[in-house]
Amino acid sequence: MIQTSPEALFTEREQRFFAAEERQANRYRWVGWLRLSFFVGSVLGCAVLFYYGHNGIGLSLLFGGYFVFATLIHWHNKIEYARKHQLYLGLINRRENERLRGELAGFPSGEEFQELNHYYTADLDVFGDTSLFQLLNRAVTRLGQQRLAEWLKAPASAAEIVARQETVAELVPDLEWRQNLEARAMHHHRKTQQLPQPFLLWLKTPDFFAGKSWLVALTFLLPLLTIGAAIYWGQGHSHYPFLGLVLIQFLIAYKFQQERDAYYEESTGMYETLRSYTDLLVHIEGRTFQSQKALELQKQLKIDDQQASEHVRKLASIIQFLSARLNTYLNFLLNHMLMWDFIWMWRLERWKKTMSENIGQVLSAAAEFEALASLAAFQYANPDYAVPKISAVPFQFDTQELSHPLIFSEGRKANSIAFKGAGHTVLITGSNMSGKSTFLRAVGVNMVLAFTGAVVCASRATVFPGQVYTSMRTEDNLAENTSSFYAELKRLKILLDLTVTGQPVYFFLDEILKGTNSHDRHQGAMALIRQLHQRQASGFVSTHDLELGNMEQELPGSVQNYSFNSYFEDGQLHFDYTLRPGICQSFNASQLMRQMGIEL
């Protein structure tokens, strides 16, 4: 049996969903014309019946036509939702193939999640254009994107990594569920891109009825008294009790006009925020999970033994009744006879008390599912990538055929590397453009992937969790009057402070101390490697300084020499980008300068 490649499957699904979208669009147009025809026909029919004095039949047609027209509107809206859903599913599959081709320009860059002086995100292209975030992210909501970004910025514990891997393994084959999760969120993309902090703060604000027990009593007593007074008046008695009770309600409504308006505005805004998550919640609630982490997250979607989506529907009902105040005529009758706003404000406050302590965990669980679905989609799209084995051996790092996931050319070169134990340094020498920096970034990026819970761009990988730290792209800063050399020293100082804490640290130092003279660079690099050798740290150092290779004899078993080499053939410079044991034996600076016209 020939297995379909992800590229071919995504292409087939894209075409199928776009074709389905076109069929739904035709249905939408047809029902639209049906709506218009029915409306015009009903209006003309009523006009003719009323004109010829058939008022009873005309009224029947008017009221019956209203319900038929409302049904047509509902049907029309359902078709539009289905049309958009097919469109979104088609776009999702198109974007999957764009990721595989490295066409990432149209994807959210995650630049807003970048932190100044972060341990590694800038050097490893975690955020920004052509970034790891663009490659992984399938989350649509801002909270989901934020959760994925948090995972990419900090390593998880070994237990958490394994828990994520188990859940991702469960989600990987369920392509339909994952893509429908993404498509459902896209229906409310604009709303879910807003962070719900204002809404969450409002949930915790003091209740309107706090300290107003008298108003609570009047809220439920006055409508009963008013209805009784109306019946009393209708039986031929005095109308003054009724008018007096209406006046009292008018004065109460007038006194709290601003509070009532504010409550309505806040509650409708809250509903719009939550409604945008309802489709997402229903989709997650409706699936049966097996992995422990997914089951625990699904439990967070229950509040008082009810699904979170049901609580959102309750809010919708409250808002619907509260919205009656928008009709001027109804507003006068309801609020001056039945204390309408106050009754539903009281219901809303009861809803708030239930949700204020739980809504945060509900939205957090939904965000986590989006992040897990992103990792699963990444794994599905790259079946040749390896699920890293999480090791308990300190600083064990063992990979076969590792390469950089953000290099999309067919000639992407893979290399293997292995070491273990604290105080280990892999020293890499090599000629210009031979691949030293790319290799360091490849290792660093794959570590970030592994510690996030994702697959890695390798055929096999075993890794011990730790904190990644890089010093690779240090630049001068004119605003701070900082040279590139001093900027690098500041990065190295942060590294040394970090290793003092005792937490495991993997360091990546590219062209170490490149901003100073050769003697100071050599002495400083040796001193730094000796110092790191005594700490809970291991990592990689690239350099042009061949004399640093002598440290393999000084610290046997703790310093390993590797190199990238180049060669000239037929007047052309060639690179094989292959990592080899030992110190580099070929340098190309002089040949490159000659090619640029510098006479040596």
Side-chain angles (χ1 to χ4, degrees):
M1 181 178 177
I2 300 175
Q3 188 173 0
T4 305
S5 68
E7 297 94 328
L9 180 62
F10 293 142
T11 300
E12 183 274 326
R13 288 173 65 84
E14 175 191 344
Q15 293 170 351
R16 172 155 51 91
F17 287 126
F18 281 151
E21 186 270 335
E22 183 57 35
R23 290 194 296 272
Q24 293 288 358
N26 289 332
R27 288 185 67 203
Y28 182 79
R29 287 189 288 269
W30 179 80
V31 175
W33 281 111
L34 180 62
R35 272 179 60 184
L36 179 61
S37 301
F38 181 82
F39 177 78
V40 173
S42 298
V43 170
L44 291 176
C46 287
V48 170
L49 288 169
F50 286 129
Y51 180 79
Y52 286 105
H54 302 294
N55 296 340
I57 301 175
L59 286 172
S60 299
L61 179 60
L62 181 65
F63 286 108
Y66 171 79
F67 289 107
V68 173
F69 190 69
T71 302
L72 287 173
I73 291 175
H74 180 69
W75 185 25
H76 206 199
N77 290 338
K78 284 184 67 175
I79 294 173
E80 175 64 357
Y81 183 94
R83 184 195 69 78
K84 286 184 176 179
H85 200 73
Q86 300 300 315
L87 172 65
Y88 295 149
L89 287 169
L91 290 172
I92 287 167
N93 284 278
R94 174 181 291 177
R95 291 170 183 173
E96 289 293 346
N97 270 335
E98 288 173 350
R99 286 189 183 92
L100 291 175
R101 295 192 297 267
E103 299 169 4
L104 304 177
F107 295 93
S109 68
E111 191 68 45
E112 65 272 25
F113 303 119
Q114 183 70 274
E115 295 177 14
L116 187 66
N117 297 323
H118 187 269
Y119 289 159
Y120 57 81
T121 54
D123 286 337
L124 299 182
D125 301 305
V126 175
F127 303 110
D129 295 333
T130 314
S131 65
L132 197 59
F133 182 82
Q134 290 179 309
L135 194 61
L136 263 67
N137 177 57
R138 272 77 169 174
V140 177
T141 73
R142 177 56 64 91
L143 288 178
Q145 294 175 2
Q146 190 177 62
R147 182 58 51 88
L148 179 62
E150 290 168 358
W151 287 2
L152 289 170
K153 289 194 288 187
S157 65
E160 176 63 16
I161 293 171
V162 172
R164 291 177 192 173
Q165 287 179 341
E166 290 173 352
T167 306
V168 167
E170 181 179 1
L171 295 178
V172 167
D174 201 346
L175 179 64
E176 294 293 340
W177 186 87
R178 285 189 287 100
Q179 291 195 345
N180 275 287
L181 179 76
E182 189 175 350
R184 281 173 177 252
M186 291 171 72
H187 284 278
H188 306 281
H189 175 260
R190 291 183 180 179
K191 202 67 185 177
T192 57
Q193 277 296 295
Q194 301 173 15
L195 290 173
Q197 271 72 11
F199 152 64
L200 296 176
L201 287 173
W202 182 73
L203 279 179
K204 296 183 180 299
T205 55
D207 290 342
F208 167 74
F209 286 102
K212 299 186 184 72
S213 55
W214 61 272
L215 184 56
V216 176
L218 290 177
T219 294
F220 294 96
L221 182 60
L222 283 175
L224 296 176
L225 293 175
T226 305
I227 293 171
I231 295 172
Y232 180 75
W233 179 20
Q235 292 176 342
H237 299 291
S238 174
H239 62 280
Y240 288 113
F242 175 77
L243 293 179
L245 290 167
V246 169
L247 178 62
I248 292 172
Q249 292 190 61
F250 173 81
L251 293 174
I252 293 173
Y254 180 78
K255 175 178 174 60
F256 295 107
Q257 180 69 49
Q258 289 185 345
E259 289 86 346
R260 291 188 298 129
D261 291 345
Y263 235 74
Y264 176 75
E265 292 299 326
E266 292 286 359
S267 61
T268 50
M270 173 175 59
Y271 173 59
E272 288 299 320
T273 298
L274 282 186
R275 187 180 66 170
S276 61
Y277 283 89
T278 304
D279 275 1
L280 212 62
L281 295 174
V282 169
H283 193 64
I284 297 169
E285 292 164 353
R287 192 187 191 280
T288 301
F289 293 97
Q290 301 298 324
S291 62
Q292 188 61 36
K293 183 175 181 63
L295 289 171
E296 290 173 358
L297 287 172
Q298 204 173 36
K299 285 180 182 177
Q300 293 181 27
L301 299 181
K302 281 196 172 183
I303 302 170
D304 294 341
D305 294 325
Q306 273 194 325
Q307 300 288 11
S309 58
E310 287 300 317
H311 287 275
V312 177
R313 289 192 180 99
K314 284 184 181 178
L315 175 62
S317 176
I318 294 171
I319 299 301
Q320 185 177 7
F321 282 111
L322 195 55
S323 296
R325 72 196 308 275
L326 297 179
N327 184 297
T328 305
Y329 177 70
L330 280 177
N331 182 34
F332 182 84
L333 291 178
L334 294 174
N335 277 305
H336 301 148
M337 292 179 62
L338 301 176
M339 295 289 283
W340 189 261
D341 280 2
F342 295 101
I343 289 174
W344 294 106
M345 286 166 66
W346 182 80
R347 288 281 308 274
L348 187 59
E349 289 198 348
R350 292 184 64 191
W351 185 91
K352 277 178 61 179
K353 287 177 182 176
T354 302
M355 294 297 287
S356 61
E357 300 300 324
N358 298 286
I359 191 62
Q361 74 177 30
V362 168
L363 297 180
S364 176
E368 195 125 332
F369 270 113
E370 279 197 287
L372 289 166
S374 292
L375 301 187
F378 177 64
Q379 184 169 333
Y380 184 90
N382 298 280
D384 296 333
Y385 285 16
V387 177
K389 179 182 177 182
I390 304 304
S391 174
V393 178
F395 291 97
Q396 182 177 15
F397 185 74
D398 186 351
T399 61
Q400 292 291 319
E401 297 181 299
L402 175 142
S403 57
H404 202 304
L406 289 171
I407 297 177
F408 300 97
S409 63
E410 293 182 1
R412 179 174 64 188
K413 189 69 177 178
N415 287 286
S416 303
I417 187 73
F419 62 84
K420 61 183 176 181
H424 198 97
T425 298
V426 176
L427 189 67
I428 302 177
T429 52
S431 57
N432 295 294
M433 304 186 299
S434 60
K436 301 188 303 299
S437 299
T438 300
F439 177 71
L440 261 62
R441 291 193 178 94
V443 176
V445 162
N446 280 290
M447 279 190 179
V448 171
L449 285 171
F451 303 154
T452 298
V455 290
V456 297
C457 187
S459 62
R460 179 179 62 80
T462 301
V463 60
F464 175 78
Q467 175 65 62
V468 174
Y469 188 87
T470 64
S471 178
M472 304 179 78
R473 289 172 173 160
T474 51
E475 298 178 352
D476 56 351
N477 189 318
L478 295 178
E480 296 181 4
N481 195 26
T482 301
S483 68
S484 59
F485 177 66
Y486 187 66
E488 184 180 4
L489 290 181
K490 288 171 68 177
R491 291 288 296 178
L492 296 178
K493 175 64 166 61
I494 296 172
L495 170 61
L496 291 173
D497 291 343
L498 183 61
T499 57
V500 170
T501 64
Q503 71 174 118
V505 177
Y506 291 100
F507 56 84
F508 297 83
L509 311 179
D510 188 29
E511 301 292 354
I512 187 171
L513 299 174
K514 53 186 171 291
T516 189
N517 63 77
S518 58
H519 179 268
D520 287 345
R521 179 174 63 247
H522 178 68
Q523 295 298 318
M526 290 180 65
L528 179 63
I529 291 171
R530 292 188 188 110
Q531 199 167 350
L532 291 172
H533 175 65
Q534 305 298 322
R535 308 281 177 89
Q536 285 296 306
S538 288
F540 297 78
V541 173
S542 74
T543 182
H544 285 289
D545 186 355
L546 298 184
E547 293 183 25
L548 278 183
N550 297 329
M551 295 195 73
E552 189 177 58
Q553 285 74 46
E554 178 185 334
L555 298 172
S558 294
V559 174
Q560 286 180 283
N561 284 321
Y562 284 89
S563 61
F564 287 95
N565 294 271
S566 62
Y567 60 95
F568 267 86
E569 186 174 277
D570 299 327
Q572 296 294 320
L573 182 62
H574 297 275
F575 303 96
D576 60 13
Y577 304 112
T578 300
L579 185 70
R580 292 185 171 85
I583 299 173
C584 177
Q585 301 301 317
S586 62
F587 285 87
N588 57 36
S590 59
Q591 289 93 335
L592 286 172
M593 286 187 284
R594 288 192 185 96
Q595 284 189 342
M596 295 299 126
I598 300 175
E599 297 180 4
L600 299 178

